[in-house]
Amino acid sequence: MNIEKDNQFVIEGKLALPYQYFSGRTGSRFLIRLRDDKKINGLKCNACNKVFVPPRSTCEICGETIQDNWVEVKDTGTVTGFTVVRYSEPHQPVKAPYILALIKLDGADTPFAHIVQGIAIENMKVGLKVKAKFAEKTTSTIMDINCFMPAG
Amino acid sequence: MSRRVAVCAVAQIKNEPDIWYQRFQGMLLECFEELIKKTGVTFDMDKGIRNIVTCSDDVFDARTISDSGMADVVGAHLRGEKKSAQNGINALGYGMSMILSGHDDLVLVMGHCKESQSESRNMCTNLAYDPFYLRPLGLDFLNVSAFQAREFMKKSNITDEHLAKIVVRSRKNASKNPFARENGSISEKDVISSPYLSDPVRELHQYPVTDWAVGLLLCCEERANEFTDKPVWLTGFGNCMDSYFPGDRELTSNFALKKAAARAYKMAGVKDPKTDIDLFELNDAIAYQLPLWAEGLGLVPEGESDLWVESDGMDRHHVNLSGGMLNGNPIMLSGLARAVECFLQLRGEAENRQVDGVKRALAHGTTGGAGQHHGVIILEK
Ligand SMILES: [Zn+2]
């Protein structure tokens, strides 16, 4: 038998394993606060004078333990970078095209990634002021922020 | 103690879009048998290979402990084997350190990746991000790199025209490399009019899906002449991992690349890469990365790579004469592809793309979105 590309034997497979990811003490506090109070919290390193969002229990710059230094940051911020995702694939939370942005929240020092909606793609720009729109139904993930919208 | 390690031989198959006719074990076996034939190396536990470093990825192979399924075809049966699940440049650095430490005289480095097997490369790299903050947003190596592309293009005045020139040049160089993926030639207009994938990254700016396998035999300095009369020396290695969260990083600062390069330069005694290194192979997964990494390596002053591209700096400095990753090497192995080109050039075996008088070359690899991790290796004649 002559095996060519169209009659070769192919096994269809899928890497799909039900899994539970423990978000850790620090992650749990961040996500619970987001889910229950619609508040975004960061952790501050007093030595470096930096507020990290998403939170982490140790400062990566100086190694200080910062897990109890919770500070509330605003739900408003500034876009520091963005891209327009044009390809459509199953791992995406919304239909393409969509805007992925790095957003520096007011009160935070590290921009964090999220989706921006409510603005035409051609008007999107670095420096845009945005405000979080919280999801109506919680999923207990970062998607409890539905997206960011132009502020004002 | 010796400060250098010999590369005695390399073996590779051709980079192809879809090696449907062979499993990855078969791809590796071809390379393995060629290396044995070229060098006569044995697996004697006193005098031969006792340790193998492999490079592969669980998600691309869709099986965990991806090295366990091919130990026998890379000579790792009944002896030591270690897997690097990062860019192959680290597998090479790892093999180098095993020999410099005195633990082994000989190390075989074997890598494989079949990007064609998964439905989507982006779905694979989405899994590199955590399930709490980044993965749910659909982040993957392509769109995270697009953040970096926009920022860098602004900083260094890199335009769509510059990127088109880089892509067309890559295809042209690759057409002289018999192991390169055959993509056909394209014009700058084709590149500029190709659709956006993730602005400002266009379809033709990104390396195409590729399958490949490769092997290298490393040996300590004292015994290299048992296996080759033309050793190529690994004289410097450095690597560095940048912050995990894209927002924590200064995306155009080349923080990790500068640290990796400085370590490799120091070890190899490179003072100024512009004059001390004759040939460069950079890990350009996406076109904008070629000038960005050139700045990070100290080849071009920061913010001036627009002029460098315009004035044919890429040709002057002999950058990516293989075609680069941009023409197509799988994500796990792009750094090994870079090292293989340096090896061939240093041996005078690069055929009609051979540069005269290459004495020292640099191979570079990256892992992660927007080059989170960098590795640099210096190779010498
Ligand atoms: Zn700190």
Side-chain angles (χ1 to χ4, degrees), chain A residues 45-50 52 59-64 66:
Chain A
C45 177
N46 292 316
C48 298
N49 200 29
K50 266 193 166 207
F52 297 104
C59 173
E60 72 156 8
I61 303 161
C62 70
E64 197 71 31
I66 57 172

Side-chain angles (χ1 to χ4, degrees), chain B residues 5 17-18 28 31 57 66 69 102 130 164 181 185 204 209 218 236 240-241 298 302 309 312 319 340 343 350 371-372:
Chain B
V5 167
D18 181 6
L28 283 162
C31 301
D57 179 77
S66 58
D130 68 79
R181 194 184 192 278
S185 66
L204 286 173
V209 168
L218 310 186
C240 182
M241 181 67 92
E302 224 162 291
V309 173
D312 298 321
V319 177
V340 165
F343 174 88
Q372 187 191 351

Side-chain angles (χ1 to χ4, degrees), chain B residues 105-120:
Chain B
D105 285 358
L106 287 156
V107 171
L108 200 56
V109 178
M110 302 290 300
H112 78 270
C113 186
K114 279 186 105 166
E115 289 190 341
S116 66
Q117 287 190 148
S118 74
E119 180 177 316
S120 149

